[in-house]
Amino acid sequence: MYYGHAAEAAIRAALCLASYPPGEITPVQDIAASTKVPKAYLSKVIQRLAQQGLVRTFRGPGGGIQLRKPPEAITLWSLVHATEGPGEPDRCVLGLGDCSSKDPCPLHESWAPLRDEFQRLLQRTTLAELLQDVSDTRGEKQPTNRPAVRKGDRTSLPETASERQGRP
């Protein structure tokens, strides 16, 4: 099991969101700039995370995204699963389709234990732990200079197709 670009973008975006005070709404363009993920692509990834209940989106002026749960309650596995889907762990490391003990690829016997350990790592690692590790490694402090938005200031609604078309 390994993950693709969507899961990587989801982890980076969620890590960015986790770095702000709880309840703060962060504009998509700020997350895109911080994570260096194109805004259009990031919006699609965020939509998947919202569908899985990991983030909340807010439309309109001052809209954006916030984590739906505390960073301690969001695992990397939940982000990967939300973006890659449930069948991803069975993807062949060589790209030869589904890989199983009944129909193994040449690397299956060596890869399966590594894949399983990687999945366990993702399942036990939370955003809070990752944020702390990243901050410790870089000697950074979490941003606290942006004001938190009070709950109830905006409504959480999905963006309409006409609104998406109106964006550059």
Side-chain angles (χ1 to χ4, degrees), residues 61-161:
I65 301 131
Q66 68 180 193
L67 293 176
R68 188 175 283 270
K69 302 174 184 179
E72 297 81 11
I74 299 175
T75 65
L76 299 184
W77 176 249
S78 65
L79 298 167
V80 171
H81 190 266
T83 55
E84 302 291 337
E88 197 61 22
D90 295 329
R91 186 167 68 181
C92 177
V93 70
L94 296 177
L96 301 175
D98 286 347
C99 194
S100 68
S101 55
K102 291 181 182 178
D103 187 22
C105 74
L107 289 180
H108 181 78
E109 296 304 317
S110 298
W111 172 247
L114 298 172
R115 176 198 64 208
D116 295 343
E117 180 56 34
F118 183 58
Q119 183 175 335
R120 285 189 293 276
L121 172 70
L122 295 175
Q123 289 171 334
R124 70 177 176 256
T125 305
T126 67
L127 277 179
E129 294 167 337
L130 186 60
L131 182 62
Q132 185 61 50
D133 289 347
V134 168
S135 296
D136 289 348
T137 301
R138 295 183 179 171
E140 298 173 353
K141 293 182 180 178
Q142 296 180 20
T144 56
N145 58 343
R146 293 175 59 184
V149 175
R150 292 187 318 251
K151 291 182 180 178
D153 281 355
R154 294 179 180 83
T155 11
S156 178
L157 298 170
E159 189 175 7
T160 63

